[in-house]
Amino acid sequence: MKNRWAGRHVAETIFKGLMLFSFGLVAGSLALILWTVISKGLPSLSWSMLTQAPQGGYYLGKAGGVLNATLGSLYMAGGGTLLALFLGLPIALYLETYLGRSVWSRYVRLALDVLWGIPSIVYGAIGFIIMLAIGMRASMLGGIIALTLLELPILTRAIDEVIRMMPRDLEQAALALGATPLEVATRVITRQMLPGIITGVLLAFGRGIGDAASVLFTAGYTDRMPSSLLRPVASLPLAVYFQLSMPYPEVQNRAYAAALILTFIVLVVSLSSRWLGGKLGKFIIK
Amino acid sequence: MKLPGFENSREGWKQRSSLEFRHRIDKFAGRLFFVFSIIPVFLAIAILVMMIYKSWPIMKTHPLWQMLTGQVWKPDDGLFGFLPFIAGTAWVTLVALFLAVPPCLLTSIFLSEYASHSLRAFMKPLLDILAAIPSVVYGVWGTIAIVPFIQNKLQPFIHQHLGTLPFINSNNPTGFGILSGAIVLAIMVAPFIIAVLYEILSNIPEGLKEASLAMGTTRLQTVRWVVIPQALPGIIAGIVLGASRALGETMAVLMVVGNVAQMPHSIFDAAYPLPALIANNYGEMMSIPLYDSALMTAALILLVIILIFNITSTLALQHVLERNI
């Protein structure tokens, strides 16, 4: 018969309690963060915050909003994601269909892991050096390039992981019918793995839009609306950071509102990737 | 000019679908993709070379060892001592890992060994969202929630009861310090560490656990004597990988850690980690000689530490995950 009070059963109960506690800790901290951002940001979120650029005296608490930063962030993250996808998708497909388990694929994957580990502040500094070297000032283009560097390894590795999970039979069936590797890549893998690819793209977009350190030197900051690729552009993370460091409470409250906008965008991206993944998942062959 | 094989006619279509044409396109795409695949390798090498090149001017005049162990940071006088920043990075990262690892380990064991299917399905999006929240938002949360808590509640309480112990005795009253940075950082790396540890733990062959359970052990005993020993290399590698993420985190830490260039002696002291040094000073004050080179050296030091952590743990993880299949 089971002795409930034997040492090992007591230990089991204690540890189960501890595990539940740490599980609650992780879930609770997410709830706490979201609650703090929403409860602080919502009162100072107004229509003009969303639809206006900063007006004169904005940083002293006068009228205006962060539309310039919102648009700037969306443009830069969008551009960076597109470029990263343009480079990353072929690399991921190449690794899988053409290379298989060759030595070169190992090197490429290792290089991607290395790039993935480089902190965003280093990408920002590197981007700045390159821009200095070719005589470019802080601009939207610089920000897009820095974000492309940052997002490329994230996106490529995410897609690569997804493609690796694909059932091998499908690929072999296509090859057996006489398809070339390119046709396998474009007509079988990309279709079959579309949900995963979209998830990877949105993951990279979310990382790009939230990253402040890489655009700090490369994109600069301005109160004007984004107008040209060669002009400095504002971004939401930096808007949050700069406004929070102002000594006026009204401006700090706007930093909370801007943080709420940023969190909202990231949450929408994260949830929609989940939703899209489920929706498109219907069309794949299991 | 019309390319052969691309005429929009029946003939063109026939040519396009011929075997020879398809193979030609395939070969061309293969070469193009190969060029694309050089990009990551080239970038990785180019970034390293560029940073070494940029930090070369200062390394010529100041021996590297002297800079690594120098405690004084006065760029105006040509004194570039990195030790306070390296120490700041080490303190924040170590305290963050100390806070993050036990709950992460317990949570991932719970998820892989105890949790029901629906709880696991609930946890996945939760971790994704936690990982997706931008670091600036973590920084905002830290300044609103963590810093006042430490300043008004935790530090007075600890000061009153355990004030004389080493590592927690501090006269920094602001709340902006290592502990604030470490708490924020711990929550930021938690989803990442949990995801890696969970993957390793669920990769342990089911048969091993079943054999142990069939002997009449409790689940906990199975975890302690079968799962953990089997997964230990992977667990260590996962934690090291988490550390490499934590080392490079810039904005969130910068906003709550105080940014005072000093040798910290307590978890309540302010510190100045390497990424914060670069973010606060790079792009400005280029008039001081060697300043930008010094900051690039700081970035290089950071990068080398991160790459050592990152590459060893990635290779170890690959080895571990491939072994168990």
Side-chain angles (χ1 to χ4, degrees):
Chain A
M1 215 182 96
K2 182 173 163 184
N3 180 3
R4 205 169 285 281
W5 297 103
R8 61 200 195 116
H9 291 297
V10 174
E12 174 96 13
T13 316
I14 293 174
F15 262 84
K16 221 169 162 185
L18 276 178
M19 285 175 197
L20 272 173
F21 174 72
S22 19
F23 181 76
L25 205 64
V26 175
S29 53
L30 174 66
L32 193 65
I33 291 167
L34 289 182
W35 185 79
T36 311
V37 171
I38 292 172
S39 69
K40 276 276 190 179
L42 214 49
S44 27
L45 191 66
S46 61
W47 191 241
S48 62
M49 271 300 284
L50 287 172
T51 54
Q52 288 177 13
Q55 318 273 318
Y58 176 76
Y59 295 100
L60 303 169
K62 297 237 178 71
V66 289
L67 182 65
N68 60 332
T70 312
L71 282 182
S73 267
L74 287 174
Y75 288 161
M76 281 196 292
T81 310
L82 275 182
L83 278 179
L85 180 67
F86 174 72
L87 293 174
L89 185 61
I91 295 175
L93 289 172
Y94 182 67
L95 285 177
E96 197 54 38
T97 49
Y98 283 84
L99 289 182
R101 284 180 164 253
S102 73
V103 183
W104 178 240
S105 81
R106 246 165 210 273
Y107 285 136
V108 175
R109 286 204 175 97
L110 184 66
L112 284 168
D113 282 337
V114 167
L115 290 177
W116 183 84
I118 294 179
S120 59
I121 182 73
V122 172
Y123 280 122
I126 293 284
F128 189 68
I129 296 178
I130 298 175
M131 284 162 55
L132 275 186
I134 61 175
M136 220 165 92
R137 289 188 311 127
S139 62
M140 179 142 74
L141 190 61
I144 289 177
I145 291 171
L147 285 185
T148 308
L149 291 178
L150 178 80
E151 288 181 28
L152 178 68
I154 300 171
L155 196 144
T156 315
R157 280 305 258 155
I159 295 179
D160 184 36
E161 291 293 320
V162 171
I163 294 179
R164 276 180 151 189
M165 306 272 260
M166 200 180 92
R168 284 284 80 88
D169 331 6
L170 265 177
E171 197 184 326
Q172 281 158 4
L175 286 172
L177 286 173
T180 61
L182 178 69
E183 286 160 354
V184 173
T186 51
R187 300 195 187 172
V188 179
I189 296 182
T190 30
R191 273 190 209 180
Q192 175 75 5
M193 289 294 137
L194 195 61
I197 291 172
I198 288 178
T199 310
V201 168
L202 289 177
L203 177 79
F205 181 83
R207 280 292 298 275
I209 201 167
D211 197 80
S214 58
V215 295
L216 184 60
F217 318 124
T218 48
Y221 198 82
T222 172
D223 283 348
R224 299 218 187 127
M225 297 289 279
S227 57
S228 153
L229 273 177
L230 297 174
R231 292 238 179 100
V233 68
S235 52
L236 264 181
L238 291 180
V240 176
Y241 176 61
F242 290 142
Q243 290 176 31
L244 198 66
S245 53
M246 292 285 155
Y248 308 104
E250 299 92 358
V251 185
Q252 288 184 351
N253 282 336
R254 286 184 185 150
Y256 306 146
L260 181 61
I261 299 173
L262 182 59
T263 312
F264 180 74
I265 295 176
V266 167
L267 282 186
V268 166
V269 167
S270 176
L271 292 176
S272 64
S273 85
R274 203 149 265 290
W275 179 76
L276 269 176
K279 188 128 175 123
L280 294 169
K282 284 190 298 197
F283 303 112
I284 63 171
I285 305 163
K286 291 245 164 63
Chain B
M1 193 189 92
K2 269 194 173 167
L3 286 169
F6 282 97
E7 294 93 4
N8 194 10
S9 65
R10 207 180 158 71
E11 273 306 300
W13 184 81
K14 250 188 188 165
Q15 266 185 358
R16 274 203 297 282
S17 54
S18 76
L19 195 59
E20 194 210 335
F21 184 82
R22 282 167 54 214
H23 277 296
R24 220 165 60 208
I25 286 284
D26 186 59
K27 247 194 177 148
F28 172 73
R31 289 203 189 114
L32 185 72
F33 287 180
F34 173 73
V35 174
F36 276 37
S37 77
I38 296 175
I39 295 173
V41 182
F42 169 76
L43 273 178
I45 296 169
I47 287 177
L48 269 178
V49 169
M50 200 147 63
M51 293 181 69
I52 292 172
Y53 172 75
K54 272 281 168 184
S55 44
W56 196 248
I58 195 165
M59 294 218 210
K60 267 195 309 199
T61 50
H62 300 60
L64 184 61
W65 185 245
Q66 213 175 342
M67 283 196 289
L68 287 179
T69 53
Q71 295 201 14
V72 187
W73 178 261
K74 272 188 188 149
D76 297 318
D77 305 339
L79 289 172
F80 299 99
F82 286 120
L83 197 59
F85 306 100
I86 296 171
T89 305
W91 269 81
V92 174
T93 308
L94 281 179
V95 177
L97 284 181
F98 182 75
L99 293 173
V101 166
C104 286
L105 192 56
L106 284 172
T107 307
S108 48
I109 292 175
F110 178 72
L111 285 176
S112 71
E113 307 298 322
Y114 289 85
S116 64
H117 192 74
S118 57
L119 199 57
R120 268 179 224 168
F122 165 75
M123 195 64 183
K124 181 84 177 69
L126 199 136
L127 289 179
D128 281 352
I129 293 176
L130 211 50
I133 293 179
S135 60
V136 171
V137 175
Y138 277 105
V140 169
W141 176 71
T143 42
I144 299 175
I146 297 296
V147 170
F149 169 73
I150 287 177
Q151 183 186 13
N152 300 326
K153 302 246 167 68
L154 192 64
Q155 201 177 352
F157 178 80
I158 285 186
H159 190 72
Q160 204 176 356
H161 295 280
L162 308 157
T164 49
L165 290 177
F167 299 131
I168 51 178
N169 183 16
S170 167
N171 47 14
N172 168 26
T174 58
F176 288 92
I178 290 170
L179 188 59
S180 309
I183 291 175
V184 172
L185 200 50
I187 295 176
M188 288 185 74
V189 292
F192 182 73
I193 296 183
I194 291 174
V196 177
L197 293 188
Y198 175 68
E199 197 191 335
I200 292 159
L201 288 174
S202 34
N203 204 35
I204 304 287
E206 207 61 30
L208 276 178
K209 295 179 208 163
E210 279 162 4
S212 160
L213 288 171
M215 294 288 113
T217 62
T218 62
R219 282 230 164 241
L220 183 66
Q221 282 171 320
T222 305
V223 169
R224 170 65 188 84
W225 300 107
V226 178
V227 176
I228 299 268
Q230 185 75 14
L232 196 60
I235 290 175
I236 293 171
I239 292 170
V240 172
L241 199 58
S244 81
R245 288 264 82 177
L247 281 167
E249 181 45 50
T250 312
M251 271 332 215
V253 179
L254 164 81
M255 287 163 83
V256 295
V257 83
N259 299 331
V260 180
Q262 61 180 9
M263 292 297 290
H265 296 289
S266 145
I267 52 171
F268 293 112
D269 278 346
Y272 208 157
L274 283 168
L277 170 75
I278 307 165
N280 274 338
N281 299 303
Y282 205 74
E284 299 160 25
M285 297 173 74
M286 288 303 184
S287 52
I288 300 172
L290 294 180
Y291 199 4
D292 64 326
S293 182
L295 290 176
M296 221 53 215
T297 313
L300 186 65
I301 296 169
L302 182 70
L303 188 64
V304 168
I305 300 173
I306 288 177
L307 285 187
I308 291 171
F309 277 44
N310 190 5
I311 293 177
T312 49
S313 59
T314 307
L315 292 179
L317 275 178
Q318 269 172 15
H319 184 73
V320 166
L321 287 177
E322 270 163 24
R323 188 191 57 189
N324 281 336
I325 294 170

